[in-house]
């Protein structure tokens, strides 16, 4: 009598896209759409004389919890511009009392900006006349800046990156899921040769719980794989 092998499964894994660690990812799912073609039995008695099931589509989806621009670019077909820290001198803004006067670049708030009147002979005081955020300057109604007043601000821009959303036609990426079966401690791996993600349906940007967003897309057939018995879509390896 052959031995029955029991292997329960609880999955955890690191997801790599084109070699990049995507951070905390859950809900990784494969969906295989099928189409069945049936040949009716015309010789009497009903039923089918033959039947074949074809693979119509293979889809891969996942839930991402890390809101970095690399993940968001994947979710929104975007491109990333590198931002370098540069000094900005005497940028013109118009004060809005207790509202935001947006600056052209994101402000590095660790370096105190200098806010002056247009003549340059009055320098306003941080936290008395205005407060600063990454987005710009907010004049305080309790201070000496007046509504609609023209100001000049000098600051250092924040280094980082900027996501230009919905500018790309979509890219095809390779996906490797480096997993562990937490029930047995055994390693497993899934390798998807070609995944083309579609834009996410939406993002929850403000809330009282940890945010997440879903990305899904088609797993394309890799035409370079021609060996008999080898999948053009994905392969799962396990210990």
């Amino acid at each position: 009598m052959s031995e029955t092998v029991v292997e329960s499964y609880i999955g955890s894994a690191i997801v790599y896209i084109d070699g990049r660690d995507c951070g905390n990812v859950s809900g990784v799912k494969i969906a295989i759409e099928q189409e069945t073609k049936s040949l009716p039995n015309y010789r009497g008695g009903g039923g089918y004389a033959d039947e074949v099931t074809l693979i119509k589509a293979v889809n891969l989806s996942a839930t991402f919890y890390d809101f970095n621009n690399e993940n968001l670019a994947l979710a929104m077909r975007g491109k990333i511009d590198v931002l370098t820290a540069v000094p900005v001198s005497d940028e013109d803004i118009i004060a809005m009392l207790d509202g935001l006067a947006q600056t052209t670049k994101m402000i590095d708030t660790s370096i105190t900006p200098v806010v002056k009147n247009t003549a340059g002979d009055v320098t306003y005081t941080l936290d008395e006349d205005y407060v600063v955020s990454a987005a710009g300057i907010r004049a305080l109604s309790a201070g000496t800046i007046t509504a609609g007043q023209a100001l000049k601000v000098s600051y250092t821009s924040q280094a980082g990156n900027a996501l230009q959303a919905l500018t790309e036609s979509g890219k095809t990426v390779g996906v490797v899921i480096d997993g562990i079966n937490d029930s047995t401690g055994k390693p497993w791996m899934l390798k998807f040769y070609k995944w083309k993600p579609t834009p996410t349906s939406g993002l929850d940007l403000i809330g009282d719980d940890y945010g997440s967003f879903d990305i899904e897309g088609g797993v394309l057939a890799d035409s370079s794989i021609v060996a008999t018995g080898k999948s053009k879509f994905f392969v799962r390896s396990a210990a």
Side-chain angles (χ1 to χ4, degrees):
M1 178 182 292
S2 62
E3 180 183 357
T4 300
V5 178
V6 177
E7 184 167 331
S8 302
Y9 176 77
I10 301 174
S12 62
I14 299 173
V15 176
Y16 297 94
I17 294 180
D18 280 349
R20 180 181 63 85
D21 185 344
C22 294
N24 200 17
V25 180
S26 75
V28 179
K29 298 178 182 178
I30 303 168
I32 300 175
E33 296 182 25
Q34 305 174 53
E35 180 181 7
T36 300
K37 294 183 178 293
S38 302
L39 175 64
N41 174 23
Y42 295 109
R43 295 175 59 87
Y48 296 108
D50 201 357
E51 189 173 79
V52 62
T53 298
L54 305 175
I55 302 301
K56 187 175 181 181
V58 180
N59 295 292
L60 174 66
S61 61
T63 300
F64 291 71
Y65 293 89
D66 283 9
F67 277 67
N68 54 61
N69 271 351
E70 289 82 3
N71 285 347
L72 291 172
L74 195 69
M76 295 189 287
R77 284 190 176 174
K79 64 183 291 289
I80 296 175
D81 295 333
V82 176
L83 302 177
T84 56
V86 296
V88 179
S89 298
D90 293 338
E91 181 178 314
D92 294 318
I93 59 173
I94 301 298
M96 179 178 292
L97 292 185
D98 300 321
L100 179 70
Q102 184 181 359
T103 50
T104 303
K105 299 179 182 294
M106 187 166 61
I107 297 175
D108 182 350
T109 57
S110 68
I111 303 172
T112 302
V114 177
V115 179
K116 297 183 178 182
N117 63 357
T118 52
D121 55 1
V122 177
T123 299
Y124 297 101
T125 304
L126 179 66
D127 294 332
E128 292 182 11
D129 297 311
Y130 69 93
V131 293
V132 62
S133 69
I137 301 298
R138 185 161 63 94
L140 300 174
S141 56
T144 58
I145 298 174
T146 59
Q149 182 179 345
L151 301 171
K152 290 186 179 295
V153 56
S154 299
Y155 59 94
T156 300
S157 67
Q158 177 68 58
N161 54 67
L163 168 64
Q164 306 291 344
L166 301 175
T167 58
E168 303 294 295
S169 59
K171 62 183 296 188
T172 301
V173 297
V175 180
V176 173
I177 304 174
D178 188 6
I180 288 289
N181 183 348
D182 285 335
S183 178
T184 64
K186 293 181 179 180
W188 57 270
M189 182 188 76
L190 270 166
K191 180 179 181 179
F192 297 86
Y193 304 113
K194 300 174 71 174
W195 184 48
K196 192 163 188 177
T198 58
T200 185
S201 59
L203 292 172
D204 293 330
L205 298 178
I206 299 177
D208 56 5
D209 205 349
Y210 290 110
S212 65
F213 55 94
D214 298 325
I215 306 178
E216 62 181 29
V219 178
L220 308 181
D222 188 345
S223 60
S224 68
I225 299 175
V226 295
T228 302
K230 300 297 183 181
S231 173
K232 295 179 180 291
F233 298 96
F234 65 91
V235 59
R236 183 182 189 269
S237 304

